[in-house]
Amino acid sequence: AQSVSQHNHHVILSEAASLELGCNYSYGGTVNLFWYVQYPGQHLQLLLKYFSGDPLVKGIKGFEAEFIKSKFSFNLRKPSVQWSDTAEYFCALRHSGAGSYQLTFGKGTKLSVIP
Amino acid sequence: DAEITQSPRHKITETGRQVTLACHQTWNHNNMFWYRQDLGHGLRLIHYSYGVHDTNKGEVSDGYSVSRSNTEDLPLTLESAASSQTSVYFCASSDSPGNTQYFGPGTRLTVL
């Protein structure tokens, strides 16, 4: 069965610091990968997604992620975080098997940005 | 604008009671999903549906049921609520395989 691992449970950064959140997955076939964000008290919103093509994916609010197939990784990056980026971030996988519309989520990484 | 709504937003119930959480989407999406979110576990899939009259069990389906009588709604029923089902429940929908799932605002359920 597929699984998603997020290495950091809680990350604390100062404003303007660079961010990298780790995401590794286990599945041997073709995958679609997603990063979702959940701001305090709100529902999940899509940050970015990778289906195919350029492994460097750009999303909203200055976030990007790089799919490295050989490392089974899809790390999320932002060069300079803001206080408003304080949220919980979830990496998710959908494998491309027949009828596989479900997402498998990681346990999430809470990001706290200190002004 | 199309949206996905959940009701109630907060619910407190007692052990053993039947509880139904509503999910309604106006995207006209065929695929709908129910997840629960627990600290340290992320989101886990409870049930999902690929269309009217279609329902499927997810990773943590025990104690839950769903029915899909129309495209817009996928109510989640807890047959006999247990304290272990205290959680935040999210509904989501998508229009086709591989496309983005859109999430509702969530229902916080407390079982005493």
Side-chain angles (χ1 to χ4, degrees):
Chain A
Q2 67 275 13
S3 65
V4 177
S5 298
Q6 293 183 241
H7 314 302
N8 308 103
H9 177 64
H10 192 185
V11 173
I12 303 173
L13 295 172
S14 298
E15 275 192 316
S18 64
L19 169 72
E20 182 162 2
L21 301 182
C23 173
N24 285 91
Y25 67 91
S26 65
Y27 183 74
T30 303
V31 297
N32 304 140
L33 294 159
F34 305 78
W35 275 98
Y36 280 85
V37 61
Q38 186 178 29
Y39 297 103
Q42 297 189 25
H43 60 281
L44 276 79
Q45 304 171 42
L46 182 70
L47 267 182
L48 47 81
K49 60 186 178 183
Y50 171 78
F51 282 2
S52 63
D54 189 344
L56 185 60
V57 179
K58 295 190 182 300
I60 61 172
K61 304 187 179 185
F63 286 92
E64 65 177 31
E66 185 175 10
F67 171 56
I68 303 179
K69 188 175 181 180
S70 61
K71 295 185 178 180
F72 298 89
S73 70
F74 190 57
N75 291 355
L76 180 70
R77 300 194 292 250
K78 186 172 183 178
S80 176
V81 296
Q82 302 172 320
W83 177 79
S84 58
D85 293 324
T86 294
E88 190 156 17
Y89 293 80
F90 294 92
C91 183
L93 169 152
R94 189 190 76 87
H95 66 78
S96 59
S100 302
Y101 305 169
Q102 314 91 280
L103 293 176
T104 299
F105 283 86
K107 294 183 178 181
T109 297
K110 184 177 180 180
L111 173 65
S112 298
V113 180
I114 302 169
Chain B
D1 287 345
E3 61 178 355
I4 180 166
T5 57
Q6 294 182 234
S7 62
R9 296 295 310 279
H10 301 271
K11 173 82 175 175
I12 300 174
T13 190
E14 295 176 342
T15 301
R17 291 190 179 266
Q18 183 182 78
V19 177
T20 296
L21 309 182
C23 173
H24 179 82
Q25 52 97 3
T26 58
W27 296 97
N28 200 34
H29 287 166
N30 284 326
N31 308 309
M32 296 184 72
F33 309 84
W34 273 104
Y35 297 89
R36 60 178 288 174
Q37 183 182 28
D38 303 289
L39 193 65
H41 289 279
L43 280 82
R44 291 179 291 175
L45 184 65
I46 305 171
H47 280 286
Y48 57 100
S49 168
Y50 295 156
V52 176
H53 302 311
D54 175 76
T55 61
N56 305 279
K57 293 182 178 180
E59 177 188 357
V60 290
S61 60
D62 287 349
Y64 304 93
S65 63
V66 293
S67 61
R68 187 91 179 270
S69 59
N70 58 52
T71 300
E72 296 80 16
D73 298 288
L74 185 70
L76 177 72
T77 297
L78 286 68
E79 303 293 344
S80 176
S83 57
S84 60
Q85 294 177 307
T86 292
S87 186
V88 180
Y89 292 86
F90 287 98
C91 180
S93 71
S94 69
D95 60 354
S96 65
N99 276 358
T100 301
Q101 288 189 18
Y102 296 91
F103 284 80
T107 294
R108 183 174 295 276
L109 176 68
T110 302
V111 182
L112 301 175

